[in-house]
Amino acid sequence: QRTSFHRPQTLDFKNGYAFSRLPREGVGGETLFANQLSQEELDDLCTKGATLTYGQVKRPAPSRFTPAFVAYDKKVLKFDAYFMEEVAISPEEHYRIRHVGLYYYLEDDSMCIIEPKVKNSGLVQGKLMRRHRVPKNEHRDYYHWKDLNLGIDLTIYGRTYRLVNCDSFTKVFLESQGIEVNPPEEMVSDPYTEQRRTPVQKPIVPAGPDPLRQFLAYDTKVLRFYAIWDDTNCAFGDHHPCIIHYFLADDTVEVREVHKRNDGRDPFPVLMRRQRLPKIFVDKNKNFPSCVLEITDHEVQEWYSPKDFGIGKTVTLLGRTFLIYDCDKFTQDFYREKYGITDFQPLDVNKKPLEKVTQVIPPYNGFGIPEDSLQNCLSLFPKPPRKDIIKMLENNLKVLRYQVALESPVREDKNRRFILSYFLSDDTISIYEPPVKNSGILGGKYLKKTKVTKPGSTPESPIYYEPSDFTIGSTIEVFGHRFVITDADEYVLNYLERNARSYPAATVQSIRDHFLPRKVVVETASSGVPKKDLDDLIVEVQKELKLQAPFNTRQFHETFHHFDKEGSGFLDKTTFLNICDRFNVPTSTILLKKVRWKGCCACG
């Protein structure tokens, strides 16, 4: 019932020196009696008589203790053995004999089994059992060197090993320990290995014509035919170009498929391996499953020969029909010499080009820009249309702004004003309506940034608005809504004047005429008249008007704007006096002279 097998510590260091000491406990912690006499000492006491001694008796020094793992270091018992392995899946062998070497290490009573590796054996060989203490039975007993001998069966983990021989060291060691070693046995050989080593008897060739004559005469001579395999009857079938090789040395046929770049087929060139192909079979029972058996000469009435091949002929090879349309020069010379054939005109097997179907572009559906919608018709995975990067970089942040009015029969829409922005970087237009308080209309973005086509353009060839189309008074139609340009930004005039060569002269002149009255006002305001005198004159005129009876100021302003057709802000003296008389506004001679001297009139 022992469960502990550790050894006591006998090696130690003291003051830097290594020394060995006697163990105080045995294996597994057993008590050792230090004063117990050995058998030799008892024998000495019995044989030797008492002698007269003076003083203390000197005892001899005890023999030096050597541990087992030091005494038996690198000492191994080696046995030659074999075991029988059952083979259940091979019809040629029922069991297999495998030779192994059993090694027993004396230092720690461990064992390992190693099988010598045999080249091309097909077995997993080498170390079959790692080194460790091997259990002998269910009572936790382990194999000891006393259990090993020649001519015995050793069962380890369900496998029985037969010990047949050992080396000289093992034999001497066992005999020194009082074990009688059995005589060695002969190593049993593997029957299948011995069968493979037996030389194969060559078949006896009957007397007759030399079978190697055809091989020696036609070696390396091959007939080459160019053929077409029509596979269009099957799903996803096609015309496969092939090359048929007929080897004259042994009357074998090989078919290779010609692959083209990007043909969509796997790159396997050999369609039919080199073999003899039967042409006509012997009549036999149709129910016999001959398709799963090898074809012998007794089952074939006729094999394919060179006379079965030629330009224009159709041959069926293993169920595939090939049309031969051409051959090489060596094949032509062979048929010309042996069969007298002179016509080798190749057949035309090229496919007729398919008629190109004109792509019909569907009509524009109104979603997005036409260029972007057109990409859905050109590719399965549409790509965004290309942009002019240079134009975008040159005209970045350049925007032409115009004031437009909505042309609508609705009375509420007549006073609505919009800001039309034209982006020069990508020729897009956006419209914004400034919010007006108490107008009842929510302002904000009216049209997001997009390209706008001109009326009458088609989706196939759209024509978009350009800066040359925006003149004062022109009408712009945006998705069914008409806008009239009433004003423009000063940046528009400056841009058109700097790039006058790129735009029509009428467009530049229209913007220039529109800004001419404003320029006159600016020049007049910037003349030599002091601003303080102008302000004093306006105050004085307003005081005179307040002294008069109240009148309709709005109608007074509208009348001034009506006569100022050009929108310059200037009226001549006669027209000014007529308007004042119509509204019964008294005019002072002194003020008229001052107004004339100042040279300007504040309308409204």
Side-chain angles (χ1 to χ4, degrees), residues 77 104 143-149 152 173-174 177 179:
L77 305 182
Y104 185 92
Y143 278 109
H144 195 261
W145 52 265
K146 297 178 182 179
D147 303 324
L148 304 180
N149 204 337
I152 65 172
F173 177 81
L174 294 178
Q177 300 297 326
I179 298 177

Side-chain angles (χ1 to χ4, degrees), residues 525-538:
S526 60
S527 60
V529 180
K531 184 175 183 302
K532 186 174 183 301
D533 295 345
L534 291 175
D535 295 340
D536 295 341
L537 179 59
I538 292 173

Side-chain angles (χ1 to χ4, degrees), residues 430-501:
S430 68
I431 300 177
Y432 176 79
E433 182 179 8
V436 179
K437 291 183 178 181
N438 300 326
S439 63
I441 298 175
L442 294 177
K445 184 184 292 186
Y446 187 81
L447 176 68
K448 70 175 184 179
K449 186 178 178 181
T450 184
K451 287 187 176 182
V452 180
T453 57
K454 293 183 180 179
S457 62
T458 60
E460 292 77 13
S461 57
I463 302 176
Y464 299 102
Y465 278 107
E466 298 178 353
S468 59
D469 302 320
F470 300 107
T471 58
I472 302 301
S474 62
T475 303
I476 306 298
E477 185 173 345
V478 180
F479 301 116
H481 299 272
R482 298 171 61 87
F483 295 89
V484 179
I485 299 178
T486 59
D487 198 358
D489 195 357
E490 291 186 4
Y491 177 78
V492 177
L493 177 62
N494 298 334
Y495 176 80
L496 295 179
E497 288 180 348
R498 286 196 307 267
N499 303 275
R501 296 182 179 180

Side-chain angles (χ1 to χ4, degrees), residues 306-318:
K307 64 181 181 180
D308 299 321
F309 297 88
I311 298 178
K313 291 184 178 180
T314 302
V315 292
T316 302
L317 307 178
L318 299 182

